[in-house]
């Protein structure tokens, strides 16, 4: 395996465990994490020893609390679009992986964290997990596929509600909506995720890969929506409300939006 600075990796019984390792920032996705996720998913594709991957976050509080808001400073339309496009590339690569990928969601899965979990094939949540797409609080929209995958998973009505209100929901609610496959006791999260992965990897790998390919063929029309999201994310970062929303978060105060 490659060595990573923001990820911990280990292979046990053919299952690659990827732990995002920025606990002091609640495992927020900075550029390095995105780059290293890209690399580790390439290893998943290419290493014949690996049959599937589980993605989780370091610590007991957070899976991933979003894209790294500190890196949003100074974005313009072109760099905003580039940031969203890069996230799309990596998350699409996870979604299209011919080998199964499970998100073991161990706490906050907000913004890019919820989007990362949704890009995985299955999601298993611990009882303390919390989900949401709070981007409108920052003067933004989701930029890593969230507007498309949330609709695909839970339907338009509830997706619009979560996207427009920025509400955070608990694991039980996420299960009720179909956002997660299962909710388990926190201490059992990794064992149950591994057991689910073992059940899948015991099946014919070629057939499992074709199941993934065939299911995602159903959503092919949605690809225009992904392109639209990249365009509109780029537009959001040109607004005063984006500067205000992100500054307010970093300065730990409530944002005052002007609508401009
Ligand atoms: N980007 C950058 N830093 C983040 C972050 C993010 N998305 N989420 C959390 N952090 C950092 C905080 O700035 C803080 O860093 P500091 O200790 O250097 O000040 C650290 O992680 C701990 O977070 P904190 O806010 O103190 O924890 P909390 O328990 O009070 O609140 C959350 C937890 C998840 C509710 C809160 O961190 C939050 O709202 N995060 C942003 C969520 C978000 O908007 N995500 C979408 C981004 S597009």
């Amino acid at each position: 395996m490659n060595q990573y600075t923001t990820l911990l990796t280990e292979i046990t019984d053919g299952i690659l465990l990827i732990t995002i390792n920025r606990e002091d920032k609640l495992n927020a996705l900075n550029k390095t994490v995105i780059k290293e996720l890209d690399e580790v998913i390439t290893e998943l594709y290419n290493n014949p020893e690996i049959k599937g991957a589980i993605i989780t976050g370091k610590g007991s509080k957070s899976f991933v609390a979003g894209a790294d808001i500190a890196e949003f400073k100074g974005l313009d339309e072109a760099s905003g679009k580039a940031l969203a496009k890069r996230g799309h590339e990596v998350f699409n690569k996870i979604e299209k992986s011919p080998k199964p990928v499970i998100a073991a969601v161990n706490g906050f899965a907000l913004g890019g964290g919820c989007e990362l979990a949704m890009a995985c094939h299955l999601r298993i949540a611990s009882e303390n997990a919390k989900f949401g797409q709070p981007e409108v609080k920052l003067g933004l929209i989701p930029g890593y596929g969230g507007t498309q995958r949330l609709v695909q998973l839970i339907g338009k009505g509830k997706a619009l509600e979560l996207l427009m209100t920025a509400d955070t929901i608990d694991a039980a609610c996420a299960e009720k909506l179909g956002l997660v496959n299962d909710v388990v006791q926190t201490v059992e999260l990794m064992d149950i995720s591994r057991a689910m992965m073992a059940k899948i990897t015991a099946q014919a790998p070629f057939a499992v890969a074709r199941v993934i390919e065939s299911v995602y063929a159903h959503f092919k029309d949605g690809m225009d929506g992904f392109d639209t999201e990249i365009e509109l994310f780029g537009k959001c970062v040109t607004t005063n409300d984006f500067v205000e929303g992100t500054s307010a978060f970093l300065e730990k105060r409530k944002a005052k939006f002007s609508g401009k």
Side-chain angles (χ1 to χ4, degrees), residues 22-30 61-62 64-72 108-113 115 132-135 137-138 140-144 168 233 246 249-250 252:
R22 296 187 74 213
E23 193 175 354
D24 59 329
K25 296 291 176 190
L26 304 186
N27 304 316
L29 302 171
N30 64 10
K61 184 171 172 181
S62 183
V64 168
D68 192 325
I69 299 168
E71 288 188 346
F72 285 175
F108 289 114
L110 300 177
E115 291 171 296
Q133 295 290 163
E135 286 86 351
K137 275 192 193 170
L138 301 169
L140 281 174
I141 62 171
Y144 290 171
T168 297
F233 187 91
T246 48
F249 174 78
L250 295 170
K252 302 187 190 297

Side-chain angles (χ1 to χ4, degrees), residues 17 26 67 75 91 146 198 200 235:
L17 176 64
L26 304 186
L75 284 179
F91 286 18
I200 299 169
K235 295 263 183 261

Side-chain angles (χ1 to χ4, degrees), residues 17 22 36-37 55 89 102 104 106 119 124 129-130 143 165 204 214 231:
L17 176 64
R22 296 187 74 213
E36 293 190 343
L37 276 175
I55 302 180
E89 280 164 10
I102 294 178
N106 57 311
I124 302 188
K130 298 230 176 330
T165 60
S214 185
E231 285 296 319

